[in-house]
C-alpha cells in the first residue's frame, strides 16, 4: 500500500521534470561525429578520388546495395566508372566503411534523406562524391608504403623503408 | 423546456469532454513520462482530437465474416447508452439535472451493471479466443466489483437518508462525506476503476496478453464507441465520486457551482490518469482475491459501523 502511494507521488513529481523530447524539425538532435548516416565518397588532399574500385565494399555489403564498375585512367590509376548505392536497401551498418582499404567510402552524420519517389533514393557517383576528405584528413592511399603511382617515389612513402640494395654486402 | 435544454447541454458537454479526454490523457501521460505528447495539431495540440475523430469516422467499418453480426453491432452501443443514461441523475448545479430521481444511485448501479453486457456480448460475438477471454474476464471483474461498489455507497445513502444525488449533495453542506465515509470512498474509488476497466485493472483489455481483449475485432467507429464509452465511464465515475463524497457543486461562493463540480470531477479524472501512469497491471487472480477478500469485507464492515453509529446517534 505504501509503495503504491509512493509510486503515484513520484510519478506525479515528474510533472515538474524537464521533458526529454527533442522537437525535431525545429531542434536538431546532436549526432555524434561517427554517426552512421548517409554514405559519401571522399577525395584525398590532392582532390583526387580515393576510391580504387576494389569492390570490397560491394562484397561486404549485407544487402547488396552497392554496385560499381572499375576502370583505369591514363596514369594507370583505378577508379570507379560508375558507383551506385541504392539507399532504399541500405541498412547503414557501416560494413562498407570498415571494408574500405583507402578510406574512400565513409558514413556521415546525416539521416534526412526522405524522398517521395523511390527511384530518387538510388544515388549515383556524382551524388555520392564530395569535394572533401571526410573523417581522415591528409590521408592519401598512394602516399603510404606500396607501389609507385607517380605520387611518391619508391621508399619515400609514409611507414615505408628505403628499398634494400641487393648488390651490396654492407648490412 | 428546462429539461430539454439540460438534456442537450449534458449530452453535448459529456460527449465533448469524453472526446477531449483523449487529448488530456495523452498530454498528462506524456508529462508524467517526461515526454511532450501531441503538441503539433493546432494550439497545444488541441486539434488532435478533431483529427482523430475525422480519422476514425473515415476508417473502414469492418465486420468479420465469422462474427455474430447483430450482436456485434449492438455491443458497442450498449456501453455508450448505459453510461450516458447514468449522467441523467447527476446534478451539475442546483436544479441543473435531467431527472432528479429519488432512486438516482440505484439507477446508476443498475446501468453500470447493464454495461457488463456490452463487454460480454462484444467478446462473445467476435467469435475469437482472445475476445472471448477478455469478455469473460470483464464479466467476472465487473460482477465482482459491482457487489461492493453498491455496498460501499450505502454508507453515504444512510448518512444522507436518500438515494437521490441532489439530496446527498445537500446533506454535505456541513461536512463532505469522504471524511466520515473514508473507507466507503476508497472502496468505491477502486471499484470504480475496475468498473470502467481502467489501467491498473484493465485486464479485460490487457494488450500485453489478449491483443486488445474484447474489442480486438472492432474497427472504425465501433471501436471508437468503446473508446469514447471508456472515457465517458471515467468522467461518470469521477463525477459520482465528486458528487457523493466531495460535496458535488458545493464550495465557497467565489466560484459558481458549475465550476466547483467540474473542478472536482477533473481532479478525479486526473487521478485516474495518474493511476495509469504509475501502476502496473495486477494478475487476474490477484484482482479477484483483492476484491473478494479485502474490499468486500471492508465495505461490509464500513456499512455495519456506519449503521451502528447512526443508530447510536439517533
Amino acid at each position: 500500500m505504501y509503495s503504491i502511494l509512493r509510486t503515484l507521488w513520484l510519478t506525479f513529481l515528474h510533472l515538474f521534470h524537464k521533458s526529454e523530447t527533442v522537437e525535431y524539425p525545429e531542434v536538431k538532435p546532436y549526432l555524434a561525429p561517427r554517426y552512421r548516416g548517409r554514405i559519401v565518397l571522399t577525395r584525398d588532399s590532392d582532390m583526387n578520388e580515393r576510391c580504387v574500385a576494389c569492390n570490397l565494399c560491394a562484397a561486404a555489403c549485407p544487402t547488396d546495395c552497392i554496385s560499381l564498375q572499375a576502370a583505369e585512367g591514363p596514369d594507370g590509376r583505378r577508379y570507379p566508372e560508375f558507383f551506385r548505392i541504392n539507399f532504399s536497401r541500405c541498412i547503414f551498418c557501416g560494413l562498407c566503411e570498415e571494408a574500405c582499404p583507402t578510406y574512400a567510402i565513409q558514413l556521415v552524420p546525416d539521416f534526412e534523406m526522405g524522398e517521395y519517389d523511390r527511384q530518387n533514393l538510388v544515388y549515383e557517383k556524382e551524388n555520392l562524391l564530395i569535394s572533401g576528405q571526410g573523417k581522415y584528413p591528409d590521408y592519401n592511399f598512394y602516399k603510404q608504403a606500396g607501389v609507385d603511382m607517380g605520387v611518391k617515389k619508391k621508399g619515400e612513402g609514409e611507414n615505408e623503408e628505403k628499398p634494400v640494395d641487393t648488390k651490396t654486402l654492407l648490412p | 423546456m428546462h429539461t430539454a435544454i439540460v438534456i442537450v447541454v449534458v449530452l453535448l458537454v459529456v460527449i465533448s469532454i469524453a472526446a477531449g479526454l483523449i487529448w488530456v490523457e495523452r498530454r498528462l501521460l506524456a508529462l508524467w513520462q517526461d515526454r511532450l505528447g501531441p503538441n503539433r495539431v493546432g494550439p497545444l495540440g488541441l486539434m488532435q482530437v478533431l483529427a482523430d475523430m475525422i480519422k476514425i469516422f473515415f476508417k473502414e467499418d469492418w465486420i468479420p465474416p465469422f462474427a455474430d453480426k447483430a450482436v456485434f453491432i449492438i455491443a458497442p452501443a450498449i456501453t455508450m447508452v448505459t453510461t450516458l443514461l447514468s449522467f441523467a441523475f447527476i446534478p451539475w448545479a442546483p436544479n441543473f439535472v435531467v431527472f432528479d430521481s429519488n432512486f438516482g444511485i440505484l439507477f446508476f448501479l443498475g446501468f453500470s451493471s447493464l454495461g457488463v453486457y456490452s463487454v460480454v456480448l462484444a467478446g462473445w460475438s467476435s467469435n475469437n479466443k482472445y475476445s472471448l477471454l477478455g469478455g469473460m474476464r470483464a464479466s467476472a471483474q465487473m460482477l465482482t466489483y459491482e457487489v461492493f461498489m453498491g455496498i460501499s455507497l450505502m454508507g453515504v445513502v444512510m448518512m444522507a437518508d436518500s438515494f437521490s444525488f441532489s439530496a446527498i449533495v445537500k446533506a454535505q453542506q456541513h461536512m463532505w462525506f469522504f471524511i466520515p465515509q473514508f473507507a466507503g470512498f476508497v472502496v468505491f474509488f477502486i471499484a470504480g476503476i475496475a468498473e470502467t476497466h481502467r489501467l491498473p485493472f484493465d485486464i479485460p483489455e490487457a494488450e500485453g496478453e489478449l491483443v486488445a481483449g474484447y474489442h480486438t475485432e472492432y474497427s472504425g467507429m465501433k471501436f471508437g464507441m468503446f473508446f469514447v464509452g471508456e472515457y465517458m465511464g471515467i468522467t461518470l465515475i469521477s463525477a459520482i465520486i465528486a458528487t457523493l463524497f466531495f460535496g458535488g457543486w458545493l464550495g465557497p461562493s467565489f466560484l459558481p457551482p458549475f465550476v466547483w463540480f467540474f473542478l472536482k470531477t477533473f481532479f478525479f479524472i486526473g487521478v485516474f490518469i495518474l493511476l495509469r501512469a504509475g501502476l502496473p497491471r495486477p494478475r487476474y487472480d490477484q484482482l479477484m482475491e483483492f476484491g473478494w477478500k479485502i474490499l468486500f469485507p471492508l465495505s461490509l464492515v464500513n456499512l455495519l459501523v456506519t449503521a451502528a453509529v447512526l443508530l447510536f446517534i439517533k
Side-chain angles (χ1 to χ4, degrees):
Chain A
M1 188 64 210
Y2 166 73
S3 73
I4 288 177
L5 293 178
R6 183 170 168 274
T7 307
L8 288 179
W9 174 242
L10 290 179
T11 311
F12 178 74
L13 285 184
H14 274 266
L15 205 58
F16 309 107
H17 285 206
K18 202 173 156 295
S19 165
E20 296 285 342
T21 310
V22 178
E23 293 198 73
Y24 164 59
E26 291 93 43
V27 185
K28 303 283 188 210
Y30 169 72
L31 298 180
R34 296 203 289 179
Y35 185 92
R36 297 201 307 266
R38 182 165 55 87
I39 298 174
V40 295
L41 287 175
T42 56
R43 295 172 186 273
D44 60 25
S45 43
D46 304 328
M47 288 299 126
N48 293 316
E49 284 174 42
R50 274 179 176 157
C51 181
V52 293
C54 65
N55 269 308
L56 279 179
C57 48
C61 183
T63 56
D64 282 349
C65 67
I66 303 178
S67 132
L68 70 152
Q69 174 68 56
E72 209 163 287
D75 52 352
R77 278 174 70 144
R78 281 164 62 92
Y79 68 95
E81 196 175 352
F82 67 80
F83 198 106
R84 191 174 294 141
I85 298 183
N86 184 352
F87 278 109
S88 61
R89 289 177 135 210
C90 178
I91 57 172
F92 301 98
C93 62
L95 287 182
C96 47
E97 184 177 11
E98 284 180 39
C100 185
T102 63
Y103 290 145
I105 193 164
Q106 292 181 9
L107 278 73
V108 295
D110 172 27
F111 58 89
E112 292 162 320
M113 308 170 64
E115 293 283 356
Y116 284 105
D117 188 358
R118 190 170 293 237
Q119 197 57 38
N120 293 345
L121 282 167
V122 178
Y123 281 39
E124 295 292 340
K125 187 177 167 186
E126 58 266 30
N127 310 117
L128 294 166
L129 200 62
I130 61 168
S131 50
Q133 306 184 59
K135 285 180 256 188
Y136 306 96
D138 297 329
Y139 176 82
N140 188 338
F141 176 71
Y142 292 102
K143 282 185 182 160
Q144 304 291 310
V147 289
D148 180 3
M149 294 298 291
V151 180
K152 52 108 187 156
K153 295 267 166 12
K154 200 172 185 188
E156 288 174 1
E158 290 165 37
N159 306 319
E160 186 176 15
E161 306 216 326
K162 289 281 178 202
V164 178
D165 186 358
T166 49
K167 304 273 170 58
T168 174
L169 278 172
L170 290 172
Chain B
M1 191 58 209
H2 175 69
T3 318
I5 295 170
V6 174
I7 289 174
V8 171
V9 170
V10 167
L11 200 65
L12 286 181
V13 170
V14 166
I15 289 181
S16 38
I17 285 180
L21 277 187
I22 299 171
W23 176 81
V24 171
E25 170 157 45
R26 288 178 66 187
R27 282 308 289 250
L28 277 180
L29 261 186
L31 286 176
W32 281 322
Q33 294 167 350
D34 287 350
R35 296 183 286 118
L36 285 177
N39 61 349
R40 294 284 158 164
V41 196
L44 289 174
L46 265 170
M47 289 296 118
Q48 186 73 43
V49 176
L50 202 67
D52 285 349
M53 295 284 257
I54 293 170
K55 188 193 83 172
I56 210 158
F57 268 112
F58 283 92
K59 281 222 163 175
E60 185 185 3
D61 197 1
W62 193 66
I63 300 173
F66 47 80
D68 185 339
K69 201 172 171 192
V71 184
F72 190 83
I73 293 170
I74 290 170
I78 296 175
T79 180
M80 290 274 284
V81 170
T82 53
T83 324
L84 270 177
L85 279 175
S86 297
F87 275 102
F89 308 105
I90 300 173
W92 289 10
N95 289 325
F96 193 91
V97 53
V98 177
F99 178 33
D100 191 10
S101 166
N102 284 334
F103 296 102
I105 289 188
L106 290 185
F107 271 115
F108 155 66
L109 291 172
F111 283 132
S112 69
S113 302
L114 284 176
V116 181
Y117 277 108
S118 155
V119 184
V120 174
L121 292 180
W124 182 257
S125 66
S126 293
N127 209 351
N128 165 322
K129 286 168 204 144
Y130 292 122
S131 299
L132 183 57
L133 278 173
M136 191 198 71
R137 286 182 177 193
S139 56
Q141 171 180 332
M142 288 169 89
L143 289 178
T144 305
Y145 279 74
E146 198 72 50
V147 175
F148 44 84
M149 189 172 183
I151 295 174
S152 66
L153 288 184
M154 289 309 121
V156 172
V157 171
M158 279 193 289
M159 290 190 71
D161 236 354
S162 170
F163 276 104
S164 153
F165 281 105
S166 312
I168 290 171
V169 171
K170 280 174 194 136
Q172 297 181 69
Q173 231 129 34
H174 302 297
M175 180 169 45
W176 290 356
F177 279 159
F178 83 97
I179 302 166
Q181 283 295 317
F182 189 72
F185 160 64
V186 170
V187 172
F188 180 79
F189 186 60
I190 297 174
I193 305 166
E195 197 64 19
T196 51
H197 27 87
R198 277 292 298 178
L199 215 84
F201 298 147
D202 74 330
I203 44 181
E205 290 171 40
E207 54 267 43
E209 317 157 24
L210 296 181
V211 192
Y214 57 89
H215 54 52
T216 305
E217 298 290 350
Y218 281 87
S219 60
M221 203 48 214
K222 290 204 198 67
F223 171 77
M225 277 161 92
F226 275 122
F227 213 69
V228 172
E230 185 181 319
Y231 282 113
M232 286 202 303
I234 299 170
T235 320
L236 176 68
I237 297 291
S238 305
I240 284 176
I241 291 171
T243 312
L244 296 185
F245 295 100
F246 288 84
W249 38 263
L250 293 175
S253 58
F254 60 86
L255 286 175
F258 264 119
V259 178
W260 279 114
F261 176 75
F262 279 106
L263 275 181
K264 291 168 186 173
T265 306
F266 274 106
F267 174 77
F268 284 103
I269 291 173
V271 174
F272 265 88
I273 297 169
L274 180 61
L275 284 170
R276 173 175 181 177
L279 296 181
R281 182 188 303 135
R283 223 167 48 219
Y284 185 51
D285 58 317
Q286 289 171 335
L287 178 87
M288 298 306 263
E289 207 173 274
F290 182 60
W292 285 116
K293 290 188 183 166
I294 298 173
L295 293 182
F296 183 51
L298 186 65
S299 60
L300 281 180
V301 168
N302 178 50
L303 179 70
L304 284 174
V305 170
T306 313
V309 169
L310 282 177
L311 206 62
F312 184 71
I313 292 171
K314 283 171 185 167

